[in-house]
Amino acid sequence: MASFKPTKIHVYPKLGEKVTQDTLYWKNYKAPIQIKQFGAVSNVAFSPVAPYNFAVTAFTRIHIYGPFSQEPIKSFTRFKDTAYSGRFRSDGQLLVAGCEDSVVRLFDVGGKTALRMFKGHTKAVHLTDFTSDRYQIVTGSDDYSCRLWDIPNATELNTYREHTDYIRCGVTSKLNRDLFITGSYDHTVKLFDVRTDKSVMTMDHEQPVESLLLYPSEGLLVSAGGRFVKVWDLLKQGQPLVSLRNHHKTVTCLCLSKNGERLLSASLDRHVKVYNTTNYKVVHNFDYPASILSLALAPYDESIVVGMTNSVLSIKHKKSPSESKDSTSQQRRRPSYRMFVKGKNYIPKQDDFLVGKQVKEHLAKHDKQLKKFNVSKALDTALESWTRRRKPEVTVAVIKELNRRGTLKNALAGRDEQELSRILNFLIGNLVDARFTLVLVTPAEMILDIYRSIIGQSPVIDRQLLRLHELLERELDYQRELLEVLGMLDTLFASSLPRNAVECSGISGLVLRFVEREQCSETEIYQ
C-alpha cells in the first residue's frame, strides 16, 4: 500500500513592503531603552555641541541625559508647576524653559539654581528659544503674546500681540538674529522681525499649530497641526508647497535628519513617519506603544528619542558597524542544520551492509484528517483562525486538494450558520487576491449551488452573500476597464512603431510579373 502524501503547500510571492535603502537605514537601530518619567514627556531637545546630551522636559522637572546614560546626569527641579520647552543655547552652556506659572527660567547647565527669571507673561509659557546672537530669548505664552527678552539685563525688549489664541510653538532663525516664527492655536503662523513692531508674514495652516521646523537653508518652513504637515516657501512670501496627511490623529512634533534629506513627524496615533524631502513620500514608519508628544533626533542620527503620554521616554541607539556585521553574520550562520544531514547523500559500496532507519512522518492537522478521509474536519482545521489569517495559502492548498479528490462539495455541504459564515468570510477576504482567485472561484460557485434554497433564512449569511456578489461585480468591472486600457495601449504602441518594408523574393517576383502583365494589357487596349 502506497504511503500517504502530505498536501503540497504552494509557495506564493509575499505581499509586503519593498526593502529599500531607507528601510535598511532606519531599521539599523537597537531595541528601545525605556525610561519612566514623573509625567508626560512634553519636550526633548539635544545639545548642539559634543557630547550631545539631551534635555527631557516632563512634569515639574527637566532631566539632562548623556548620549548613552540611562540615569540623568543633571536635574532641574526648581519649578513650582509643569515645565515646558527646555532648550539649549547654541554653545550648550545655558538652558531656558517655560512654566505653567508664567515665569521663564534660565539655567546654567553646570549649576543648579536659575540664573535669571523673566516675569511678564500672565499665563503658561510653552515656547522658549534663544536667538542666534545668544544674548536674547524669545518666548510665547497662552496669554496670546510673544516677547523678546535681553539676557544680560534680564529686561523685556518688545511684546507682540497679534495672535488671537494660545501660542504653543515657535522657532528662531539661526542665520539672522532678528527673525523668529511663532505658531498658534488661531491656525496662523507668523514671521516676526524685531526691527519692526509687527509681523512681516502670515501663513494660514487651517488647523491649530503644534510644531514648527526651519530647514537649514531657512528657505522652507514646515508646520504641523491637526492631521496635516505643510511645507511653506518663505522666499515666495509664504507660498504653500506641500500638504501631507499621512497621520490619523494630531501631529505633535517634527525634526530633520542629519543631512536634511529626511523629515520626521510624530503624532498622537503612535506613529513616526519618515518622509523623503525630495518628493515628500513616506519611506519608513516607526510604531510606539503610546501617543507621542515629543521627538528628537541626535546629531548624525545616532539615536532617536521619543517622549510619550504614558510618561515613558523611549531611546533607540544606532548599531555600530561591528554590531551590524555581527547580526548579519549570525543570520548567515543560522542554517546550521547541515551537520544533521551530514552523510545523507552517501552512496553505499557493493560490499556495504545498509541499515535503513524508518523516518517518522509528522503530518499537519489537516493532513491527519485527510488521511482518515474526514474531509469536513480537514476543511475545518484549515479554516482555523490563525491559519486562515496568517497562512491563507494553507487553506487554499487544502481546498485545492479536496477539489482534486472530488470531495470538496461534500466538505462544504451540511454546514450550520456559524461554519458557513466562517467559510464565506475567508472567500470574501481572499477571492479577489490574484494568487488565490483560480482556486477559490470553485468553492464559491459550489456554495451558491448548495445553499441557494436557504437564502433569506439568515440575515448574516444574506449580507455575506451580497458582499461576495459586490466583490465579484467590482472585480469584473476592473477587469473590463483593464482590458480596455490594454487595448488602447496596444493601439498606441502599434502606431508608434516604425513601418519597415519586408523583403520577400518569391512574392516580390510574382508581384512584378503581375504588374508587367497589367501594363502589357493596357498598351494593347490603347493600340
Side-chain angles (χ1 to χ4, degrees), residues 128-147:
T128 59
D129 202 358
F130 292 93
T131 58
S132 60
D133 63 357
R134 304 181 182 179
Y135 299 115
Q136 294 175 352
I137 294 174
V138 175
T139 61
S141 171
D142 286 352
D143 60 7
Y144 310 164
S145 70
C146 54
R147 300 170 188 254

Side-chain angles (χ1 to χ4, degrees), residues 161-421:
R161 299 182 181 275
E162 295 192 22
H163 287 291
T164 58
D165 208 333
Y166 300 155
I167 300 175
R168 290 297 175 91
C169 60
V171 62
T172 58
S173 170
K174 300 298 182 289
L175 305 178
N176 190 333
R177 67 174 187 175
D178 298 321
L179 299 179
F180 67 93
I181 307 172
T182 59
S184 170
Y185 276 11
D186 62 5
H187 302 183
T188 62
V189 178
K190 292 183 179 291
L191 172 64
F192 291 92
D193 190 334
V194 299
R195 294 166 291 188
T196 62
D197 293 332
K198 59 181 181 180
S199 62
V200 295
M201 192 184 301
T202 301
M203 292 149 279
D204 186 7
H205 184 80
E206 299 179 351
Q207 295 287 334
V209 184
E210 298 283 352
S211 181
L212 293 176
L213 175 69
L214 267 176
Y215 275 67
S217 64
E218 300 193 356
L220 298 177
L221 172 72
V222 186
S223 62
R227 295 172 57 188
F228 295 91
V229 176
K230 297 187 178 183
V231 183
W232 312 85
D233 190 345
L234 298 181
L235 302 180
K236 294 184 179 180
Q237 294 297 315
Q239 177 181 344
L241 296 181
V242 183
S243 180
L244 307 173
R245 190 178 177 181
N246 298 98
H247 289 282
H248 303 298
K249 293 184 180 180
T250 301
V251 183
T252 54
C253 44
L254 302 165
C255 70
L256 273 176
S257 64
K258 64 174 181 179
N259 51 13
E261 295 180 356
R262 297 295 180 265
L263 171 68
L264 283 74
S265 66
S267 167
L268 296 179
D269 62 4
R270 303 182 293 109
H271 295 291
V272 174
K273 305 283 185 182
V274 183
Y275 305 89
N276 186 338
T277 54
T278 303
N279 51 21
Y280 291 99
K281 291 185 178 179
V282 177
V283 295
H284 195 67
N285 180 65
F286 292 99
D287 297 331
Y288 284 88
S291 299
I292 302 172
L293 291 179
S294 54
L295 167 70
L297 199 61
Y300 307 104
D301 301 346
E302 291 298 326
S303 58
I304 300 174
V305 183
V306 167
M308 292 173 278
T309 55
N310 61 352
S311 308
V312 172
L313 183 72
S314 175
I315 307 172
K316 289 183 178 181
H317 295 293
K318 181 173 275 189
K319 295 178 182 177
S320 62
S322 60
E323 290 175 329
S324 300
K325 290 180 181 179
D326 291 342
S327 61
T328 54
S329 62
Q330 288 176 2
Q331 291 177 357
R332 290 175 183 174
R333 289 197 300 265
R334 191 170 295 170
S336 58
Y337 61 88
R338 294 173 186 159
M339 60 176 296
F340 297 103
V341 297
K342 188 176 181 180
K344 294 287 184 180
N345 57 354
Y346 175 75
I347 301 175
K349 296 180 181 178
Q350 184 176 1
D351 298 331
D352 291 343
F353 291 97
L354 182 63
V355 179
K357 181 180 179 181
Q358 187 176 3
V359 180
K360 186 177 181 181
E361 188 177 19
H362 295 279
L363 297 177
K365 291 182 180 179
H366 55 268
D367 283 329
K368 291 179 181 178
Q369 298 298 335
L370 287 174
K371 190 175 182 180
K372 299 176 182 178
F373 301 101
N374 296 331
V375 292
S376 296
K377 291 184 179 180
L379 184 59
D380 291 339
T381 305
L383 286 169
E384 289 180 353
S385 180
W386 189 89
T387 305
R388 72 172 185 267
R389 292 177 183 173
R390 300 292 183 88
K391 296 284 186 180
E393 60 272 11
V394 175
T395 308
V396 173
V398 173
I399 293 175
K400 186 176 181 180
E401 176 64 19
L402 291 173
N403 188 34
R404 187 189 68 82
R405 295 185 178 197
T407 56
L408 179 58
K409 196 167 187 178
N410 296 336
L412 294 173
R415 300 282 178 169
D416 57 17
E417 182 180 4
Q418 185 178 359
E419 294 174 348
L420 183 58
S421 176

